Amino acid sequence: VKCKNFRKHDLIVIGDGPKNKNDEKNVFEARKIAKHKLDKNTQFIFSKKNKGLSKSIIDGVTNTINKYEKAIIIEDDLKLHESFLEYMQNALDFFQDNDQVYSVSGYAYKDMNNSETDEPMFLPFISTWGWGTWKSAWETFDHNSKGSEKLFRNNDLRHLFDVNGVYPFSDMLESQKQGRVDSWGIRWYWTLFNQKKLCCYPRNSLVINDGYDNEATNGRGWANNFNKKKMFIEDIRPTKFFNKEVKVDEMYYHHVT
């Protein structure tokens, strides 16, 4: 494993159950590969039944975070830079008592390698591609997206939630509430947005999403616009944590939107 400090972390692998008989072969093969490749001290939690995306993630994060107080969540189709875990752990430690930061992302929507500073950046929306949070923040997770109706009564607020019109997240949230999609991520985003909280990002992406092929699920549409990266930039400098005053990085926000 190339990530620095990997051995210092407890690894828990959580796998959902097969959706149907046709899905059993691929699911069991994936579990077999995971057990073969990962350390013997790894804890494996495999569901017999298919919970679905949201319940599987929510249950997994909740159970882990109740035990450890904080957690780093990685999907199986992500490529990680060697400094990913080091950055995540430093960010989770540094901002643990900062009630303005609710989430930490190892993915960056746009590399800012020409930046004059190595401090992290902050945005009012999340990424779920290699992320982490704390128990205190996760306990506010809004399962029912209470109050989101106001997005449809206030066009300016809705436009802001849609990241200045980049993607119709408000429609996705409405589809979630009506049961047409199964997304925990849109509800986590609403949780932060509604409470005016921020997500911490590195200056350069420490994650590449490699899960976009004909077999991939839960990874289509808007996210593809940010998935052109195939290689990490060279000479990524470590993120420096020394300033606990956080605010939205307007220049970065402009680049993303």
Side-chain angles (χ1 to χ4, degrees):
V1 177
K2 294 182 178 181
C3 275
K4 298 175 183 177
N5 299 330
F6 171 76
R7 302 297 177 190
K8 296 181 180 180
H9 294 77
D10 291 344
L11 180 62
I12 303 171
V13 176
I14 299 172
D16 202 1
K19 294 179 180 179
N20 49 51
K21 288 290 183 179
N22 294 332
D23 200 30
E24 287 183 353
K25 181 179 179 180
N26 289 337
V27 169
F28 295 146
E29 183 64 23
R31 294 178 179 181
K32 181 179 178 181
I33 293 172
K35 288 182 175 180
H36 175 72
K37 286 184 172 291
L38 296 174
D39 193 279
K40 292 182 179 180
N41 294 325
T42 300
Q43 180 181 355
F44 295 94
I45 302 175
F46 295 138
S47 176
K48 294 181 179 180
K49 297 181 179 180
N50 184 266
K51 295 181 177 181
L53 174 65
S54 287
K55 183 170 177 54
S56 182
I57 295 290
I58 293 170
D59 286 353
V61 174
T62 300
N63 292 335
T64 302
I65 222 161
N66 283 340
K67 179 179 180 180
Y68 293 94
E69 298 291 326
K70 53 190 172 186
I72 300 169
I73 301 92
I74 307 164
E75 295 183 14
D76 60 356
D77 52 5
L78 302 178
K79 291 182 179 179
L80 308 178
H81 188 269
E82 63 178 11
S83 63
F84 168 81
L85 281 178
E86 186 175 51
Y87 156 80
M88 293 294 296
Q89 189 63 62
N90 288 341
L92 288 169
D93 287 345
F94 190 80
F95 294 113
Q96 182 166 351
D97 298 321
N98 191 316
D99 63 2
Q100 288 302 304
V101 184
Y102 263 32
S103 191
V104 176
S105 172
Y107 175 80
Y109 290 102
K110 181 177 176 60
D111 288 322
M112 304 291 283
N113 53 308
N114 293 325
S115 175
E116 294 181 357
T117 177
D118 294 323
E119 289 187 80
M121 302 176 293
F122 299 90
L123 291 174
F125 50 87
I126 67 165
S127 168
T128 60
W129 293 350
W131 64 286
T133 191
W134 305 265
K135 183 178 180 180
S136 58
W138 186 251
E139 284 179 337
T140 72
F141 181 87
D142 190 346
H143 293 263
N144 300 313
S145 307
K146 296 177 183 178
S148 59
E149 298 83 7
K150 60 187 177 183
L151 293 175
F152 300 91
R153 298 194 298 266
N154 186 325
N155 289 333
D156 291 339
L157 189 66
R158 182 175 181 178
H159 186 73
L160 188 63
F161 186 71
D162 291 344
V163 193
N164 288 348
V166 169
Y167 184 81
F169 284 113
S170 54
D171 290 344
M172 185 178 181
L173 183 59
E174 182 67 14
S175 293
Q176 166 65 41
K177 296 185 71 172
Q178 294 181 5
R180 296 197 301 268
V181 298
D182 182 28
S183 173
W184 65 271
I186 192 65
R187 287 178 282 172
W188 182 227
Y189 173 29
W190 169 254
T191 300
L192 271 70
F193 181 88
N194 193 41
Q195 298 183 57
K196 296 181 173 60
K197 305 301 182 181
L198 300 175
C199 181
C200 173
Y201 290 84
R203 290 275 159 183
N204 296 290
S205 189
L206 304 175
V207 175
I208 292 175
N209 191 317
D210 199 35
Y212 289 85
D213 57 28
N214 292 332
E215 300 299 324
T217 59
N218 305 310
R220 294 286 191 270
W222 175 78
N224 258 334
N225 295 331
F226 297 98
N227 195 47
K228 298 176 182 178
K229 174 185 285 293
K230 299 300 178 184
M231 296 179 62
F232 296 110
I233 69 166
E234 296 181 1
D235 302 322
I236 292 180
R237 301 191 301 267
T239 302
K240 295 181 179 179
F241 298 94
F242 56 85
N243 184 4
K244 292 197 174 184
E245 294 185 9
V246 301
K247 62 181 180 179
V248 174
D249 189 305
E250 296 295 345
M251 183 178 70
Y252 189 49
Y253 187 85
H254 172 74
H255 278 292
V256 172
T257 59

